[in-house]
Amino acid sequence: MKFLCVSCDEAMKLMEVAPPDRGSLSVVYRCPTCAQEIAMLTNPFETQVVSSLGVQIGADSDPMDGESRCPFSSMVPELGAPGEESSPELRWSPEASSRLANMPEFARPLAKAGIEKFAKERGLGEIDLGVLDGARKSMGM
Amino acid sequence: MALEGGHHLKGYYDISGDGGSNVLAQVDAQQARIAQNLSLVRNLLAIGSGKGGVGKSTMTMQLACALRRQGYAVSIMDADLNGPCQARLGGLRETILLPGASGATVPTTESGIGVVSMATLVPEPRAVEFESVATGSSHTWRATKEFTILRELLEGMDWGKLDYLLVDLPPGVERIVQYAELLGPTAMFVLVTIPSELSKGVVARSIEALKQTSNPILGYIENMDGYFCQDCQRVKPLYPAQSSIQFELPRLGTLPFDPALAAHCDRGGSLADLSTLPSWPLLQRIAEEMLKRAAELTPSEETR
């Protein structure tokens, strides 16, 4: 989707994606010539179209780079399932977090919960690559 | 674009890029990541039918076992997200997906067959739900969501080096073309039917649907072609011997309904157990026919 400033016949630039509200998304565009701003306000169906493609408005093509910028993730219930939030007493090393982010998105909450359970049972405070290997071995992988 | 009064404005294609959403680039990047992730998978083999209840899933696992016995590296992707059963068939219901070096590690059965199934994430009796931000309209987005999940599985699992990745397809004639598009033109198809006219009529539709694609169809398997009577140790008929529906495809083999095989599937039995059943030689023959046909259709591809 592109927006054109009619006065200037100039393509508008995506400036900001506001936090979602009840299935609606606000995306602000600005004309680079006259600085006129408009906001595209999606209805929940329009939001879902993009969400269902597994992409994020304005995100980088590299999934690692787009993490936490996704305005849709928090709107799709299964992505916010239990286990998505880290236990406060557990830290994830950047390498371990990166591996988790490489998994299919819908499988992450369960994987995270399973690994944190594994770490807690062993009294570990940080989840690093060694803990991930240990969890896989304990499950026969 | 011309407006009233002769005023001209740029059209969609006059503006480069995609308006800053980067959606198109992300979709392209997804396709590239799938291709990269499957680069070590030598053969993609989709097991479908169009008809439900003909034994696609059990046949998929049994063919995987037969291929495994021949020494091939094999994994299964359960594409039936709503009625997933490969985790049960593989004895992997208690497993979860965990992150590995290049995506999630594929759980393996006792016999070394990789199995990725929604059933490992959603234990029985829970149903897989396709949530929607547009309340009460999940049906509208179900297909898109399903294919997004399948794409994520292709992209996010560490499939590694495989001789065969078997894809267990759900029923649905029209959808079989969508799976062909998802898996790409090199994916080969095997169709499963039972001898009834009812089933063959639907499979005939699937064959027609697949003709729209360039994907090779290796042939069809006739499942439940009679039943194996454990009392007299003979195969007895279940359906009339003659059918008015003939496929212009090689029949890769037939398999009678075998109660012992059904029980084996229910408990997620191992390859070692399977090879003791009366159906095992027939399954091996079907797998051999399938490989022979694959070699004929894709002569440039090494068979091993």
PDB file of all heavy atoms in Angstrom, chain B residues 95-133:
ATOM      1  N   THR B  95       6.842 -34.753  23.299  1.00  0.00           N
ATOM      2  CA  THR B  95       8.016 -33.958  22.929  1.00  0.00           C
ATOM      3  C   THR B  95       7.630 -32.499  22.693  1.00  0.00           C
ATOM      4  O   THR B  95       6.510 -32.220  22.280  1.00  0.00           O
ATOM      5  CB  THR B  95       8.611 -34.518  21.623  1.00  0.00           C
ATOM      6  OG1 THR B  95       8.715 -35.923  21.761  1.00  0.00           O
ATOM      7  CG2 THR B  95       9.981 -33.947  21.331  1.00  0.00           C
ATOM      8  N   ILE B  96       8.562 -31.577  22.953  1.00  0.00           N
ATOM      9  CA  ILE B  96       8.313 -30.188  22.555  1.00  0.00           C
ATOM     10  C   ILE B  96       9.420 -29.772  21.592  1.00  0.00           C
ATOM     11  O   ILE B  96      10.467 -30.407  21.530  1.00  0.00           O
ATOM     12  CB  ILE B  96       8.251 -29.209  23.752  1.00  0.00           C
ATOM     13  CG1 ILE B  96       9.585 -29.165  24.513  1.00  0.00           C
ATOM     14  CG2 ILE B  96       7.106 -29.538  24.667  1.00  0.00           C
ATOM     15  CD1 ILE B  96       9.661 -28.023  25.507  1.00  0.00           C
ATOM     16  N   LEU B  97       9.156 -28.731  20.842  1.00  0.00           N
ATOM     17  CA  LEU B  97      10.184 -28.232  19.930  1.00  0.00           C
ATOM     18  C   LEU B  97      11.139 -27.348  20.714  1.00  0.00           C
ATOM     19  O   LEU B  97      10.718 -26.545  21.535  1.00  0.00           O
ATOM     20  CB  LEU B  97       9.542 -27.429  18.795  1.00  0.00           C
ATOM     21  CG  LEU B  97       8.549 -28.186  17.904  1.00  0.00           C
ATOM     22  CD1 LEU B  97       8.023 -27.275  16.802  1.00  0.00           C
ATOM     23  CD2 LEU B  97       9.184 -29.431  17.305  1.00  0.00           C
ATOM     24  N   LEU B  98      12.433 -27.528  20.463  1.00  0.00           N
ATOM     25  CA  LEU B  98      13.444 -26.736  21.169  1.00  0.00           C
ATOM     26  C   LEU B  98      14.381 -26.084  20.158  1.00  0.00           C
ATOM     27  O   LEU B  98      14.605 -26.624  19.070  1.00  0.00           O
ATOM     28  CB  LEU B  98      14.253 -27.643  22.105  1.00  0.00           C
ATOM     29  CG  LEU B  98      13.512 -28.167  23.337  1.00  0.00           C
ATOM     30  CD1 LEU B  98      14.377 -29.155  24.099  1.00  0.00           C
ATOM     31  CD2 LEU B  98      13.101 -27.016  24.262  1.00  0.00           C
ATOM     32  N   PRO B  99      14.939 -24.916  20.527  1.00  0.00           N
ATOM     33  CA  PRO B  99      15.800 -24.231  19.569  1.00  0.00           C
ATOM     34  C   PRO B  99      17.142 -24.933  19.376  1.00  0.00           C
ATOM     35  O   PRO B  99      17.763 -25.368  20.351  1.00  0.00           O
ATOM     36  CB  PRO B  99      15.996 -22.844  20.193  1.00  0.00           C
ATOM     37  CG  PRO B  99      15.687 -22.998  21.624  1.00  0.00           C
ATOM     38  CD  PRO B  99      14.739 -24.145  21.759  1.00  0.00           C
ATOM     39  N   GLY B 100      17.574 -25.042  18.130  1.00  0.00           N
ATOM     40  CA  GLY B 100      18.890 -25.581  17.813  1.00  0.00           C
ATOM     41  C   GLY B 100      19.722 -24.511  17.131  1.00  0.00           C
ATOM     42  O   GLY B 100      19.360 -23.335  17.157  1.00  0.00           O
ATOM     43  N   ALA B 101      20.833 -24.917  16.532  1.00  0.00           N
ATOM     44  CA  ALA B 101      21.750 -23.939  15.943  1.00  0.00           C
ATOM     45  C   ALA B 101      21.131 -23.243  14.724  1.00  0.00           C
ATOM     46  O   ALA B 101      21.374 -22.069  14.490  1.00  0.00           O
ATOM     47  CB  ALA B 101      23.050 -24.635  15.565  1.00  0.00           C
ATOM     48  N   SER B 102      20.354 -23.965  13.930  1.00  0.00           N
ATOM     49  CA  SER B 102      19.751 -23.333  12.745  1.00  0.00           C
ATOM     50  C   SER B 102      18.251 -23.589  12.722  1.00  0.00           C
ATOM     51  O   SER B 102      17.757 -24.281  11.845  1.00  0.00           O
ATOM     52  CB  SER B 102      20.358 -23.883  11.459  1.00  0.00           C
ATOM     53  OG  SER B 102      21.576 -24.502  11.673  1.00  0.00           O
ATOM     54  N   GLY B 103      17.557 -23.094  13.683  1.00  0.00           N
ATOM     55  CA  GLY B 103      16.111 -23.315  13.771  1.00  0.00           C
ATOM     56  C   GLY B 103      15.803 -24.343  14.835  1.00  0.00           C
ATOM     57  O   GLY B 103      16.691 -24.796  15.566  1.00  0.00           O
ATOM     58  N   ALA B 104      14.544 -24.717  14.902  1.00  0.00           N
ATOM     59  CA  ALA B 104      14.125 -25.676  15.935  1.00  0.00           C
ATOM     60  C   ALA B 104      14.605 -27.081  15.570  1.00  0.00           C
ATOM     61  O   ALA B 104      14.586 -27.464  14.396  1.00  0.00           O
ATOM     62  CB  ALA B 104      12.610 -25.653  16.071  1.00  0.00           C
ATOM     63  N   THR B 105      15.031 -27.813  16.578  1.00  0.00           N
ATOM     64  CA  THR B 105      15.487 -29.185  16.358  1.00  0.00           C
ATOM     65  C   THR B 105      14.287 -30.078  16.044  1.00  0.00           C
ATOM     66  O   THR B 105      13.259 -30.010  16.710  1.00  0.00           O
ATOM     67  CB  THR B 105      16.185 -29.707  17.632  1.00  0.00           C
ATOM     68  OG1 THR B 105      17.241 -28.796  17.945  1.00  0.00           O
ATOM     69  CG2 THR B 105      16.777 -31.091  17.422  1.00  0.00           C
ATOM     70  N   VAL B 106      14.450 -30.915  15.024  1.00  0.00           N
ATOM     71  CA  VAL B 106      13.351 -31.820  14.635  1.00  0.00           C
ATOM     72  C   VAL B 106      13.388 -33.047  15.548  1.00  0.00           C
ATOM     73  O   VAL B 106      14.391 -33.753  15.599  1.00  0.00           O
ATOM     74  CB  VAL B 106      13.522 -32.263  13.154  1.00  0.00           C
ATOM     75  CG1 VAL B 106      12.463 -33.281  12.771  1.00  0.00           C
ATOM     76  CG2 VAL B 106      13.455 -31.050  12.229  1.00  0.00           C
ATOM     77  N   PRO B 107      12.309 -33.298  16.298  1.00  0.00           N
ATOM     78  CA  PRO B 107      12.275 -34.502  17.139  1.00  0.00           C
ATOM     79  C   PRO B 107      12.336 -35.759  16.267  1.00  0.00           C
ATOM     80  O   PRO B 107      11.799 -35.762  15.154  1.00  0.00           O
ATOM     81  CB  PRO B 107      10.914 -34.413  17.851  1.00  0.00           C
ATOM     82  CG  PRO B 107      10.464 -33.003  17.695  1.00  0.00           C
ATOM     83  CD  PRO B 107      11.066 -32.517  16.412  1.00  0.00           C
ATOM     84  N   THR B 108      12.981 -36.782  16.762  1.00  0.00           N
ATOM     85  CA  THR B 108      13.086 -38.013  15.962  1.00  0.00           C
ATOM     86  C   THR B 108      12.487 -39.201  16.707  1.00  0.00           C
ATOM     87  O   THR B 108      12.533 -39.284  17.941  1.00  0.00           O
ATOM     88  CB  THR B 108      14.551 -38.354  15.621  1.00  0.00           C
ATOM     89  OG1 THR B 108      15.311 -38.362  16.817  1.00  0.00           O
ATOM     90  CG2 THR B 108      15.150 -37.367  14.660  1.00  0.00           C
ATOM     91  N   THR B 109      11.956 -40.128  15.924  1.00  0.00           N
ATOM     92  CA  THR B 109      11.397 -41.347  16.506  1.00  0.00           C
ATOM     93  C   THR B 109      12.542 -42.275  16.885  1.00  0.00           C
ATOM     94  O   THR B 109      13.699 -42.042  16.530  1.00  0.00           O
ATOM     95  CB  THR B 109      10.506 -42.090  15.484  1.00  0.00           C
ATOM     96  OG1 THR B 109      11.352 -42.587  14.438  1.00  0.00           O
ATOM     97  CG2 THR B 109       9.448 -41.186  14.880  1.00  0.00           C
ATOM     98  N   GLU B 110      12.187 -43.314  17.574  1.00  0.00           N
ATOM     99  CA  GLU B 110      13.146 -44.350  17.948  1.00  0.00           C
ATOM    100  C   GLU B 110      13.933 -44.864  16.742  1.00  0.00           C
ATOM    101  O   GLU B 110      15.102 -45.217  16.852  1.00  0.00           O
ATOM    102  CB  GLU B 110      12.336 -45.522  18.511  1.00  0.00           C
ATOM    103  CG  GLU B 110      12.779 -46.046  19.844  1.00  0.00           C
ATOM    104  CD  GLU B 110      11.845 -47.176  20.245  1.00  0.00           C
ATOM    105  OE1 GLU B 110      12.029 -48.321  19.789  1.00  0.00           O
ATOM    106  OE2 GLU B 110      10.926 -46.868  21.016  1.00  0.00           O
ATOM    107  N   SER B 111      13.250 -44.881  15.594  1.00  0.00           N
ATOM    108  CA  SER B 111      13.889 -45.402  14.379  1.00  0.00           C
ATOM    109  C   SER B 111      14.674 -44.341  13.624  1.00  0.00           C
ATOM    110  O   SER B 111      15.209 -44.615  12.561  1.00  0.00           O
ATOM    111  CB  SER B 111      12.822 -45.961  13.436  1.00  0.00           C
ATOM    112  OG  SER B 111      11.739 -46.493  14.144  1.00  0.00           O
ATOM    113  N   GLY B 112      14.702 -43.115  14.155  1.00  0.00           N
ATOM    114  CA  GLY B 112      15.490 -42.058  13.521  1.00  0.00           C
ATOM    115  C   GLY B 112      14.747 -41.294  12.438  1.00  0.00           C
ATOM    116  O   GLY B 112      15.376 -40.648  11.600  1.00  0.00           O
ATOM    117  N   ILE B 113      13.433 -41.347  12.474  1.00  0.00           N
ATOM    118  CA  ILE B 113      12.639 -40.564  11.512  1.00  0.00           C
ATOM    119  C   ILE B 113      12.243 -39.247  12.179  1.00  0.00           C
ATOM    120  O   ILE B 113      11.654 -39.249  13.259  1.00  0.00           O
ATOM    121  CB  ILE B 113      11.369 -41.347  11.087  1.00  0.00           C
ATOM    122  CG1 ILE B 113      11.773 -42.636  10.360  1.00  0.00           C
ATOM    123  CG2 ILE B 113      10.463 -40.485  10.211  1.00  0.00           C
ATOM    124  CD1 ILE B 113      10.643 -43.626  10.190  1.00  0.00           C
ATOM    125  N   GLY B 114      12.595 -38.138  11.547  1.00  0.00           N
ATOM    126  CA  GLY B 114      12.220 -36.830  12.092  1.00  0.00           C
ATOM    127  C   GLY B 114      10.732 -36.598  11.914  1.00  0.00           C
ATOM    128  O   GLY B 114      10.180 -36.919  10.859  1.00  0.00           O
ATOM    129  N   VAL B 115      10.100 -36.046  12.944  1.00  0.00           N
ATOM    130  CA  VAL B 115       8.651 -35.798  12.853  1.00  0.00           C
ATOM    131  C   VAL B 115       8.340 -34.408  13.416  1.00  0.00           C
ATOM    132  O   VAL B 115       8.673 -34.116  14.563  1.00  0.00           O
ATOM    133  CB  VAL B 115       7.837 -36.849  13.637  1.00  0.00           C
ATOM    134  CG1 VAL B 115       6.354 -36.496  13.630  1.00  0.00           C
ATOM    135  CG2 VAL B 115       8.038 -38.239  13.053  1.00  0.00           C
ATOM    136  N   VAL B 116       7.722 -33.597  12.594  1.00  0.00           N
ATOM    137  CA  VAL B 116       7.254 -32.295  13.068  1.00  0.00           C
ATOM    138  C   VAL B 116       5.740 -32.276  12.903  1.00  0.00           C
ATOM    139  O   VAL B 116       5.231 -32.397  11.790  1.00  0.00           O
ATOM    140  CB  VAL B 116       7.902 -31.145  12.272  1.00  0.00           C
ATOM    141  CG1 VAL B 116       7.302 -29.817  12.680  1.00  0.00           C
ATOM    142  CG2 VAL B 116       9.403 -31.136  12.507  1.00  0.00           C
ATOM    143  N   SER B 117       5.052 -32.174  14.007  1.00  0.00           N
ATOM    144  CA  SER B 117       3.589 -32.227  13.969  1.00  0.00           C
ATOM    145  C   SER B 117       3.037 -31.251  14.986  1.00  0.00           C
ATOM    146  O   SER B 117       3.586 -31.080  16.076  1.00  0.00           O
ATOM    147  CB  SER B 117       3.141 -33.655  14.324  1.00  0.00           C
ATOM    148  OG  SER B 117       1.742 -33.700  14.467  1.00  0.00           O
ATOM    149  N   MET B 118       1.954 -30.628  14.632  1.00  0.00           N
ATOM    150  CA  MET B 118       1.289 -29.713  15.557  1.00  0.00           C
ATOM    151  C   MET B 118       0.859 -30.455  16.814  1.00  0.00           C
ATOM    152  O   MET B 118       0.661 -29.838  17.862  1.00  0.00           O
ATOM    153  CB  MET B 118       0.090 -29.088  14.843  1.00  0.00           C
ATOM    154  CG  MET B 118      -0.481 -27.882  15.514  1.00  0.00           C
ATOM    155  SD  MET B 118       0.737 -26.625  15.862  1.00  0.00           S
ATOM    156  CE  MET B 118       0.566 -25.584  14.461  1.00  0.00           C
ATOM    157  N   ALA B 119       0.729 -31.769  16.701  1.00  0.00           N
ATOM    158  CA  ALA B 119       0.291 -32.559  17.849  1.00  0.00           C
ATOM    159  C   ALA B 119       1.321 -32.539  18.982  1.00  0.00           C
ATOM    160  O   ALA B 119       0.970 -32.820  20.127  1.00  0.00           O
ATOM    161  CB  ALA B 119       0.025 -34.000  17.419  1.00  0.00           C
ATOM    162  N   THR B 120       2.571 -32.191  18.706  1.00  0.00           N
ATOM    163  CA  THR B 120       3.537 -32.078  19.799  1.00  0.00           C
ATOM    164  C   THR B 120       3.311 -30.779  20.568  1.00  0.00           C
ATOM    165  O   THR B 120       3.638 -30.688  21.735  1.00  0.00           O
ATOM    166  CB  THR B 120       4.997 -32.116  19.287  1.00  0.00           C
ATOM    167  OG1 THR B 120       5.167 -31.101  18.322  1.00  0.00           O
ATOM    168  CG2 THR B 120       5.351 -33.446  18.702  1.00  0.00           C
ATOM    169  N   LEU B 121       2.765 -29.779  19.892  1.00  0.00           N
ATOM    170  CA  LEU B 121       2.537 -28.478  20.543  1.00  0.00           C
ATOM    171  C   LEU B 121       1.159 -28.393  21.181  1.00  0.00           C
ATOM    172  O   LEU B 121       0.970 -27.682  22.163  1.00  0.00           O
ATOM    173  CB  LEU B 121       2.664 -27.341  19.520  1.00  0.00           C
ATOM    174  CG  LEU B 121       4.033 -27.177  18.861  1.00  0.00           C
ATOM    175  CD1 LEU B 121       3.958 -26.106  17.791  1.00  0.00           C
ATOM    176  CD2 LEU B 121       5.074 -26.798  19.900  1.00  0.00           C
ATOM    177  N   VAL B 122       0.217 -29.073  20.584  1.00  0.00           N
ATOM    178  CA  VAL B 122      -1.161 -29.025  21.083  1.00  0.00           C
ATOM    179  C   VAL B 122      -1.572 -30.453  21.452  1.00  0.00           C
ATOM    180  O   VAL B 122      -1.990 -31.220  20.593  1.00  0.00           O
ATOM    181  CB  VAL B 122      -2.108 -28.444  20.013  1.00  0.00           C
ATOM    182  CG1 VAL B 122      -3.516 -28.295  20.566  1.00  0.00           C
ATOM    183  CG2 VAL B 122      -1.595 -27.121  19.496  1.00  0.00           C
ATOM    184  N   PRO B 123      -1.409 -30.818  22.709  1.00  0.00           N
ATOM    185  CA  PRO B 123      -1.712 -32.200  23.086  1.00  0.00           C
ATOM    186  C   PRO B 123      -3.193 -32.530  22.975  1.00  0.00           C
ATOM    187  O   PRO B 123      -4.045 -31.644  23.122  1.00  0.00           O
ATOM    188  CB  PRO B 123      -1.236 -32.276  24.548  1.00  0.00           C
ATOM    189  CG  PRO B 123      -1.145 -30.877  25.019  1.00  0.00           C
ATOM    190  CD  PRO B 123      -0.959 -30.000  23.837  1.00  0.00           C
ATOM    191  N   GLU B 124      -3.484 -33.787  22.704  1.00  0.00           N
ATOM    192  CA  GLU B 124      -4.884 -34.258  22.683  1.00  0.00           C
ATOM    193  C   GLU B 124      -5.466 -34.072  24.084  1.00  0.00           C
ATOM    194  O   GLU B 124      -4.748 -34.224  25.062  1.00  0.00           O
ATOM    195  CB  GLU B 124      -4.920 -35.737  22.296  1.00  0.00           C
ATOM    196  CG  GLU B 124      -4.451 -36.017  20.863  1.00  0.00           C
ATOM    197  CD  GLU B 124      -4.333 -37.514  20.586  1.00  0.00           C
ATOM    198  OE1 GLU B 124      -4.699 -38.321  21.459  1.00  0.00           O
ATOM    199  OE2 GLU B 124      -3.847 -37.873  19.515  1.00  0.00           O
ATOM    200  N   PRO B 125      -6.705 -33.711  24.285  1.00  0.00           N
ATOM    201  CA  PRO B 125      -7.751 -33.555  23.269  1.00  0.00           C
ATOM    202  C   PRO B 125      -7.957 -32.109  22.819  1.00  0.00           C
ATOM    203  O   PRO B 125      -9.002 -31.803  22.240  1.00  0.00           O
ATOM    204  CB  PRO B 125      -8.993 -34.061  24.015  1.00  0.00           C
ATOM    205  CG  PRO B 125      -8.776 -33.586  25.419  1.00  0.00           C
ATOM    206  CD  PRO B 125      -7.278 -33.642  25.653  1.00  0.00           C
ATOM    207  N   ARG B 126      -6.994 -31.240  23.084  1.00  0.00           N
ATOM    208  CA  ARG B 126      -7.202 -29.830  22.692  1.00  0.00           C
ATOM    209  C   ARG B 126      -7.267 -29.685  21.182  1.00  0.00           C
ATOM    210  O   ARG B 126      -6.592 -30.396  20.446  1.00  0.00           O
ATOM    211  CB  ARG B 126      -6.043 -28.966  23.218  1.00  0.00           C
ATOM    212  CG  ARG B 126      -6.249 -28.472  24.644  1.00  0.00           C
ATOM    213  CD  ARG B 126      -5.137 -27.532  25.041  1.00  0.00           C
ATOM    214  NE  ARG B 126      -5.027 -26.382  24.182  1.00  0.00           N
ATOM    215  CZ  ARG B 126      -3.929 -25.626  24.084  1.00  0.00           C
ATOM    216  NH1 ARG B 126      -2.859 -25.911  24.791  1.00  0.00           N
ATOM    217  NH2 ARG B 126      -3.897 -24.588  23.276  1.00  0.00           N
ATOM    218  N   ALA B 127      -8.069 -28.729  20.733  1.00  0.00           N
ATOM    219  CA  ALA B 127      -8.159 -28.464  19.289  1.00  0.00           C
ATOM    220  C   ALA B 127      -7.232 -27.310  18.947  1.00  0.00           C
ATOM    221  O   ALA B 127      -7.020 -26.414  19.764  1.00  0.00           O
ATOM    222  CB  ALA B 127      -9.593 -28.103  18.926  1.00  0.00           C
ATOM    223  N   VAL B 128      -6.667 -27.365  17.771  1.00  0.00           N
ATOM    224  CA  VAL B 128      -5.846 -26.247  17.307  1.00  0.00           C
ATOM    225  C   VAL B 128      -6.783 -25.079  17.023  1.00  0.00           C
ATOM    226  O   VAL B 128      -7.805 -25.245  16.379  1.00  0.00           O
ATOM    227  CB  VAL B 128      -5.079 -26.637  16.018  1.00  0.00           C
ATOM    228  CG1 VAL B 128      -4.279 -25.459  15.484  1.00  0.00           C
ATOM    229  CG2 VAL B 128      -4.169 -27.814  16.297  1.00  0.00           C
ATOM    230  N   GLU B 129      -6.419 -23.917  17.554  1.00  0.00           N
ATOM    231  CA  GLU B 129      -7.287 -22.751  17.343  1.00  0.00           C
ATOM    232  C   GLU B 129      -6.584 -21.749  16.449  1.00  0.00           C
ATOM    233  O   GLU B 129      -5.395 -21.510  16.605  1.00  0.00           O
ATOM    234  CB  GLU B 129      -7.597 -22.074  18.687  1.00  0.00           C
ATOM    235  CG  GLU B 129      -8.497 -22.899  19.582  1.00  0.00           C
ATOM    236  CD  GLU B 129      -8.590 -22.308  20.978  1.00  0.00           C
ATOM    237  OE1 GLU B 129      -8.364 -21.102  21.124  1.00  0.00           O
ATOM    238  OE2 GLU B 129      -8.874 -23.075  21.907  1.00  0.00           O
ATOM    239  N   PHE B 130      -7.328 -21.189  15.554  1.00  0.00           N
ATOM    240  CA  PHE B 130      -6.786 -20.122  14.723  1.00  0.00           C
ATOM    241  C   PHE B 130      -7.414 -18.822  15.187  1.00  0.00           C
ATOM    242  O   PHE B 130      -8.521 -18.472  14.805  1.00  0.00           O
ATOM    243  CB  PHE B 130      -7.071 -20.386  13.247  1.00  0.00           C
ATOM    244  CG  PHE B 130      -6.305 -21.559  12.728  1.00  0.00           C
ATOM    245  CD1 PHE B 130      -6.866 -22.814  12.698  1.00  0.00           C
ATOM    246  CD2 PHE B 130      -4.989 -21.405  12.326  1.00  0.00           C
ATOM    247  CE1 PHE B 130      -6.146 -23.897  12.251  1.00  0.00           C
ATOM    248  CE2 PHE B 130      -4.249 -22.485  11.876  1.00  0.00           C
ATOM    249  CZ  PHE B 130      -4.836 -23.740  11.845  1.00  0.00           C
ATOM    250  N   GLU B 131      -6.689 -18.155  16.062  1.00  0.00           N
ATOM    251  CA  GLU B 131      -7.216 -16.926  16.645  1.00  0.00           C
ATOM    252  C   GLU B 131      -7.193 -15.806  15.627  1.00  0.00           C
ATOM    253  O   GLU B 131      -6.422 -15.809  14.678  1.00  0.00           O
ATOM    254  CB  GLU B 131      -6.360 -16.525  17.857  1.00  0.00           C
ATOM    255  CG  GLU B 131      -6.418 -17.529  18.995  1.00  0.00           C
ATOM    256  CD  GLU B 131      -7.754 -17.535  19.717  1.00  0.00           C
ATOM    257  OE1 GLU B 131      -8.599 -16.674  19.411  1.00  0.00           O
ATOM    258  OE2 GLU B 131      -7.946 -18.398  20.575  1.00  0.00           O
ATOM    259  N   SER B 132      -8.054 -14.852  15.860  1.00  0.00           N
ATOM    260  CA  SER B 132      -8.102 -13.700  14.971  1.00  0.00           C
ATOM    261  C   SER B 132      -8.262 -12.439  15.793  1.00  0.00           C
ATOM    262  O   SER B 132      -8.961 -12.433  16.796  1.00  0.00           O
ATOM    263  CB  SER B 132      -9.282 -13.855  14.023  1.00  0.00           C
ATOM    264  OG  SER B 132      -9.494 -12.658  13.321  1.00  0.00           O
ATOM    265  N   VAL B 133      -7.607 -11.369  15.351  1.00  0.00           N
ATOM    266  CA  VAL B 133      -7.806 -10.095  16.053  1.00  0.00           C
ATOM    267  C   VAL B 133      -9.182  -9.518  15.722  1.00  0.00           C
ATOM    268  O   VAL B 133      -9.695  -8.684  16.429  1.00  0.00           O
ATOM    269  CB  VAL B 133      -6.710  -9.061  15.697  1.00  0.00           C
ATOM    270  CG1 VAL B 133      -5.371  -9.505  16.205  1.00  0.00           C
ATOM    271  CG2 VAL B 133      -6.675  -8.789  14.211  1.00  0.00           C
TER     272      VAL B 133
END
